[in-house]
């Protein structure tokens, strides 16, 4: 029992450190971030940080990888809907979740790109490719679609939209722009019978996040923390990212 309690405490501390580190990386970038600032924001000792992460690079890698720990997109029988949902959920959460935002900055920053092996980008190309392969097995793809090539292009386009939205309006229109991206791309990917059923509106991310949160509450047999803050905490746990 003591061992289990210690493990749970260690996991909570690690998560607290990652959340603090994400806010620091997102605000200052990799070069400007310091372990001291992470310690201050996390409210832990420097030793606790180094117990979990050997260096600033390891801490940055942990922030990038954390977005893959939990998946806030419910599994769908239509894999192309799951494909769209993934992109729309990230569009919804990125302005609200420092882990996603920091993961994007770390993945795209020229000062750390090579050091972190492309950040989150390779992982999201792989995930999108897997969804397209599954969609192909269900007959959802047009004959010319090559999952690996299409996944690469979609992630590249999504990333470009994210950068433009960030620079022009601080991601205020990210959901709208990503919705438009999918509405432009999916006719060249999905067979007509599937295309007509896809939900790609700008509110789709928020709807899927709410669906996933309700499912978690039902599984746990309880209720989320009360009020808007509780809802935000539940939403923030739906960690998917494209960086």
């Amino acid at each position: 029992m003591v061992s289990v309690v210690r493990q749970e405490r260690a996991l909570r501390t690690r998560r607290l450190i990652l959340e603090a580190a994400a806010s620091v990386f997102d605000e200052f970038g990799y070069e400007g971030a310091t372990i001291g600032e992470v310690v201050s924001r996390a409210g832990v000792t420097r030793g606790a940080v180094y117990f979990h992460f050997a260096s600033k690079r390891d801490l940055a890698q942990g922030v990038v990888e954390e977005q893959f720990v939990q998946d806030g997109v419910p599994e769908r029988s239509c894999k192309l809907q799951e494909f769209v949902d993934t992109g729309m959920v990230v569009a919804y959460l990125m302005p609200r979740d420092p882990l996603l935002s920091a993961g994007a900055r770390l993945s795209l920053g020229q000062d750390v790109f090579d050091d972190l092996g492309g950040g989150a980008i390779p992982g999201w190309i792989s995930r999108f490719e897997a969804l397209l392969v599954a969609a192909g097995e269900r007959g959802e793809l047009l004959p010319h679609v090559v999952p690996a090539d299409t996944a690469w292009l979609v992630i590249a386009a999504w990333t470009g939209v994210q950068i433009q939205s960030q620079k022009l309006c601080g991601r205020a229109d990210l959901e709208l722009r990503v919705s438009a991206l999918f509405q432009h791309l999916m006719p060249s990917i999905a067979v007509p019978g599937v295309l007509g059923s896809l939900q790609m509106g700008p509110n789709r991310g928020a709807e899927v996040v709410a669906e996933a949160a309700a499912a978690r509450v039902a599984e746990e047999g309880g209720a989320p923390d009360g009020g808007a803050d509780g809802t935000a905490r539940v939403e923030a746990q739906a960690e998917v990212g494209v960086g």
Side-chain angles (χ1 to χ4, degrees):
M1 179 63 71
V2 172
S3 177
V4 170
V5 171
R6 287 176 177 172
Q7 289 176 359
E8 292 177 348
R9 185 183 301 122
L11 289 173
R12 288 196 299 271
T13 300
R14 184 180 187 276
R15 174 71 185 196
L16 187 66
I17 293 168
L18 284 173
E19 290 175 346
S23 70
V24 173
F25 285 128
D26 197 31
E27 183 174 345
F28 298 106
Y30 182 80
E31 289 298 329
T34 65
I35 295 295
E37 184 64 24
V38 174
V39 168
S40 176
R41 294 194 185 189
V44 299
T45 65
R46 187 175 292 265
V49 173
Y50 283 115
F51 175 81
H52 291 280
F53 303 98
S55 65
K56 184 168 78 169
R57 183 203 177 279
D58 285 349
L59 190 53
Q61 188 69 50
V63 169
V64 169
E65 293 175 353
E66 186 68 9
Q67 60 195 282
F68 295 105
V69 172
Q70 296 181 6
D71 194 339
V73 179
E75 185 173 353
R76 309 290 187 194
S77 58
C78 176
K79 289 302 170 181
L80 284 185
Q81 184 64 66
E82 192 174 336
F83 180 87
V84 171
D85 287 352
T86 299
M88 292 306 303
V89 165
V90 176
Y92 172 78
L93 289 176
M94 186 166 284
R96 299 166 170 85
D97 186 352
L99 275 165
L100 286 174
S101 185
R105 180 164 185 172
L106 290 169
S107 297
L108 299 171
Q110 294 302 311
D111 53 346
V112 293
F113 186 87
D114 292 337
D115 195 35
L116 295 181
I121 293 172
W124 283 105
I125 292 174
S126 177
R127 179 170 292 192
F128 271 47
E129 180 182 353
L131 287 170
L132 289 170
V133 169
E137 292 171 351
R138 289 164 170 77
E140 299 173 12
L141 302 181
L142 292 169
H144 69 271
V145 174
V146 178
D149 294 344
T150 300
W152 195 100
L153 289 169
V154 170
I155 293 299
W158 198 108
T159 300
V161 168
Q162 189 274 135
I163 292 172
Q164 286 287 82
S165 178
Q166 169 66 15
K167 288 185 177 295
L168 294 176
C169 63
R171 301 194 184 109
D173 66 350
L174 184 56
E175 293 168 82
L176 180 66
R177 299 301 182 183
V178 172
S179 172
L181 174 68
F182 278 121
Q183 290 178 49
H184 278 76
L185 293 180
M186 296 312 291
S188 66
I189 296 172
V191 298
V194 171
L195 179 63
S197 69
L198 293 179
Q199 299 181 54
M200 299 181 283
N203 294 325
R204 180 62 182 172
E207 293 168 356
V208 175
V209 167
E211 176 190 351
R216 282 193 297 274
V217 170
E219 289 177 1
E220 295 168 2
D225 293 339
D229 291 343
T231 301
R233 282 192 291 273
V234 172
E235 291 173 350
Q237 292 171 0
E239 292 155 5
V240 293
V242 174

